[in-house]
Amino acid sequence: MKDNRITGAIPRRSLLKAGLAIGGAVIGAPALAIEAPNPENQAPNVPDWSRYLGDGVAERPYGKPSAFEAQVVRRDVEWLTASRESSVNFTPIHALDGIITPNGLCFERHHAGTAVVAPADYQLMIHGLVDKPIILTLDDLQRLPRINRIYFCECAANSGMEWRGAQLNGAQFTHGMVHCVMYTGVPLKIILEAAGVKNNAKWILAEGGDAAGMNRSIPLAKALDDCLIAFKMNGEALREENGYPARLVVPGWEANLWIKWIRRIEVGDQPWHAREETSKYTDLLQGGTARRFTFVMDAKSVITSPSPQAPLKHHGQNVISGIAWSGRGAIKRVDVSMDGGRNWIVARLDGPVLPKALTRFYVDFEWRGQDMLLLSRAIDESGYVQPTKAELRQHRGVNSIYHNNGIQTWHVQPDGGVENVEIT
Amino acid sequence: MCSRTAGLRMSKLPKGAVVPFIGGMIIMGILVLLIAPENKSLPPPGGELRLPEKSQVGRAATLQEIAGWDIDIRPDGAGLPVGSGTVRAGETLYNEQCASCHGEFGESAGRWPMLAGGDGSLATHDPVKTVGSYWPYASTLMDYIRRSMPYGNAQSLSHDELYAVTAYVLYLNNVIEDEEFELNQKNFAAIKMPNAANFIDDDREISEKQFWQPPCMTNCAPGEARITGRASVIDVTPEAGQAPKVE
């Protein structure tokens, strides 16, 4: 196989560094990080791919992204956790567009690694305050009425490293614990009604089959409202790292509740106060009290490009692209500021605007190489306006870890490089 | 058999016939997209889906099956297994199976969770959230150990070992003070944790009501914005050029 495909491609980072050096030498002419094409492949020359046969249809029984997209992968931050089995990696949101996250790029958060469950072995037990305790197989689940819904799924700790200040240089790391896919699944209501929920029931406990036995208490009203037991994402079976063969979907609420490899639902009359709803996933406020059962994800947005991993490369016409979402419903509006929040314009929402799903926004603009402080601000259908980080800290202090939905600032520099900053 | 028949039929179609058919499908698809109502108008999940009255969903779960998986424990003691264990027995077990990560005194080895200490730190700039300083219920500790510890060998402890190691972690936190103390399903619910009263239910929609105000659009703050912090100064971002190995 000819491997001239990579010829001429210099890693963006080294170019950026080179650009900075040149920028220092030639005053007033900062170098942008434009990748140089291979002249042999440019008109009027005829490149190899126009002459020779490519791979046949048997080469890719399951297709993968182009080799040129090899940098678009989930990444982790090694210093963040003690072990990679109880850790997280991040969706490369800086390189994605639209509202759907490809399955292989959905962030992973495990507490005891990925459980591998054979579909034939899968069981879902429903018991507790029900008339008939039942066990369903995967086949049983897939014979029940099913629906399709697009929802975002955001870890409560997304942006958690940024409470005390700008820390990580990349939208992937600051905001990448979110993904959005179309789920196919059975409304939990149908399953609970089949088991017959007793009158005194108020909560459910959802439990995973992984080695963490991940367990969370969820109000029964939510379980009967819009929760799903999902077995497909974006049309295909769930990925193992996302709960194969079945997971709980809890629309608009923090991702830790979306129990993967779900094996058991117990119906009860009070919450269980499990470790992940007491020791973790509670929000420590200034003064030492902590909020618990903070399920809903507040409205949030981030500009995904330009961002530190996606610098501007050309003067003239450019696109600001970003995502917004809210656990309280649909996004109503997104505002963008280019001057550090002094003045705002209304961004263009494009693609489906669905409740509790990512919504894509754009601002088409002209860039002349000026310094910019880029911000975005989401407003949802409840009227909630994404707060600044300062406003959030004023209410909660800096020890919450979870639920940081403060407005992100990107500093765009004259060479096109972008940095995560905090501003007045 | 069915799929083989369908395959044969496909292969016998004249080659040219398939293309306009697929083309037609695409055009139809676009039309459907154009006239499809917004997803918002769909009924809520489960709202109108109903199973017939007598439908069989799954099969009955037996008491024995439930007993094998029903491992949760609540603050009121519901779910406690029958058993007992002393602080002293727990110390031996802890040193063998827990101390390598959590430290001999619960102080943590490396970056694994601290189990003890941090008293009075929650309101400071550097809160230390441990079982003793933060966790509201002792049942949480036992429920968590029962389902997920020791890390990498979950659900391996006997009921007596579970009581013993729980008692020892409570002892490390001065919640239990007598090293001869024996914890069991009868005295468990009497154990109170020091920080239990400091948790409040989610009140964001009241305490943060100001976030529901229409925002400013022009001249929202005086002067030019000034940069007060930069991620590049801390420089803890993984190198962008180093992607993890993928096949």
Side-chain angles (χ1 to χ4, degrees), chain A residues 78-239:
Chain A
E78 210 179 340
W79 53 264
L80 203 59
T81 52
S83 100
R84 279 182 158 151
E85 290 74 32
S86 182
S87 193
V88 61
N89 62 23
F90 301 84
T91 308
I93 53 172
H94 63 287
L96 303 179
D97 220 310
I99 66 166
I100 296 294
T101 314
N103 287 342
L105 296 177
C106 290
F107 79 94
E108 300 171 64
R109 171 66 170 119
H110 319 306
H111 292 72
T114 297
V116 178
V117 183
D121 291 340
Y122 178 77
Q123 294 182 302
L124 175 62
M125 179 185 287
I126 315 288
H127 72 111
L129 296 178
V130 296
D131 299 328
K132 297 169 287 183
I134 51 175
I135 289 179
L136 293 90
T137 64
L138 189 61
D139 282 349
D140 291 337
L141 272 178
Q142 292 178 342
R143 291 189 294 128
L144 294 173
R146 72 183 74 150
I147 61 172
N148 297 292
R149 290 291 184 277
I150 297 173
Y151 291 122
F152 79 81
C153 173
E154 184 189 18
C155 179
N158 199 19
S159 315
M161 287 90 80
E162 305 286 309
W163 270 108
R164 293 185 178 201
Q167 197 167 212
L168 288 160
N169 246 335
Q172 178 170 21
F173 302 111
T174 57
H175 290 76
M177 280 195 263
V178 67
H179 59 65
C180 184
V181 307
M182 179 185 275
Y183 294 97
T184 305
V186 179
L188 183 52
K189 182 181 182 178
I190 284 183
I191 298 168
L192 290 174
E193 281 179 350
V197 174
K198 292 191 187 291
N199 287 336
N200 57 335
K202 288 193 177 64
W203 290 77
I204 65 162
L205 181 80
E207 180 185 83
D210 58 330
M214 177 55 61
N215 58 331
R216 287 294 305 260
S217 306
I218 299 170
L220 180 66
K222 178 67 173 177
L224 296 174
D225 177 22
D226 58 1
C227 291
L228 304 175
I229 302 290
F231 44 82
K232 294 269 203 280
M233 57 197 284
N234 291 334
E236 64 177 0
L238 297 181
R239 293 293 170 90

Side-chain angles (χ1 to χ4, degrees), chain A residues 13 64 71 73-83 85-86 111 123 125 127 133-136 140 144-145 147 149 151 164 166-169 173 187 189-190 193-194 205 207 211-213 215 225-226 263-264 266 269-276 278-279 282 284 287-296 298 328 333 335 340-344 346 353-355 373 377 379 382-385 387 391-392 395-396 399 401 403 411 419-424, chain B residues 38-40 42-47 49-51 55-62 65-76 111-113 121-127 129 134-137 139-140 143-144 147-149 151-152 154-155 195-205 207-244 246-247:
Chain A
R13 198 176 175 88
K64 287 179 182 167
Q71 296 295 306
V73 289
R74 298 183 284 221
R75 292 171 193 278
D76 71 334
V77 178
E78 210 179 340
W79 53 264
L80 203 59
T81 52
S83 100
E85 290 74 32
S86 182
H111 292 72
Q123 294 182 302
M125 179 185 287
H127 72 111
I134 51 175
I135 289 179
L136 293 90
D140 291 337
L144 294 173
I147 61 172
R149 290 291 184 277
Y151 291 122
R164 293 185 178 201
Q167 197 167 212
L168 288 160
N169 246 335
F173 302 111
K189 182 181 182 178
I190 284 183
E193 281 179 350
L205 181 80
E207 180 185 83
N215 58 331
D225 177 22
D226 58 1
R263 72 164 193 171
R264 188 169 72 95
E266 182 169 348
D269 60 356
Q270 52 182 279
W272 278 258
H273 296 284
R275 187 244 196 183
E276 312 299 332
T278 54
S279 167
T282 48
L284 184 58
T289 58
R291 278 194 196 126
R292 65 183 176 190
F293 302 132
T294 46
F295 299 127
V296 179
D298 291 315
R328 292 191 178 86
R333 198 178 89 200
D335 300 331
R342 271 50 187 169
N343 298 283
W344 298 81
V346 176
V353 179
L354 301 171
L373 292 168
R377 172 174 77 190
I379 303 166
S382 80
Y384 180 96
V385 180
E391 287 169 329
L392 213 53
H395 277 270
R396 303 186 195 169
N399 291 335
I401 300 175
H403 294 281
H411 176 212
E419 188 190 357
N420 174 11
V421 297
E422 297 240 347
I423 54 169
T424 52
Chain B
E38 271 191 68
N39 206 350
K40 259 194 265 184
L42 290 172
L49 293 173
R50 282 277 185 282
L51 283 174
S55 309
Q56 180 63 38
V57 174
R59 63 166 173 85
T62 68
E65 285 172 323
I66 295 170
W69 280 15
D70 182 6
I71 54 172
D72 55 76
I73 302 166
R74 286 196 322 204
D76 63 357
R111 302 210 313 287
W112 298 97
S121 71
L122 297 182
T124 70
H125 192 259
D126 294 301
K129 297 191 277 186
Y134 194 60
W135 295 33
Y137 305 108
S139 60
T140 304
D143 175 88
Y144 184 66
R147 66 181 57 253
S148 66
M149 291 291 126
Y151 190 60
Q155 301 195 48
N195 194 46
N198 290 324
F199 285 82
I200 55 167
D201 285 334
D202 187 4
D203 66 345
R204 282 175 291 175
E205 295 190 2
S207 63
E208 297 179 357
K209 214 176 171 71
Q210 76 169 76
F211 297 158
W212 276 266
Q213 299 291 325
C216 168
M217 294 299 281
T218 52
N219 299 318
C220 300
E224 284 195 4
R226 193 168 44 80
I227 293 175
T228 55
R230 296 171 184 271
S232 58
V233 172
I234 305 170
D235 199 19
V236 286
T237 312
E239 277 288 299
Q242 293 168 351
V246 280
E247 290 293 305

Side-chain angles (χ1 to χ4, degrees), chain A residues 335-356:
Chain A
D335 300 331
V336 166
S337 170
M338 303 190 195
D339 62 359
R342 271 50 187 169
N343 298 283
W344 298 81
I345 53 171
V346 176
R348 175 168 62 88
L349 305 185
D350 190 81
V353 179
L354 301 171
K356 303 170 187 177

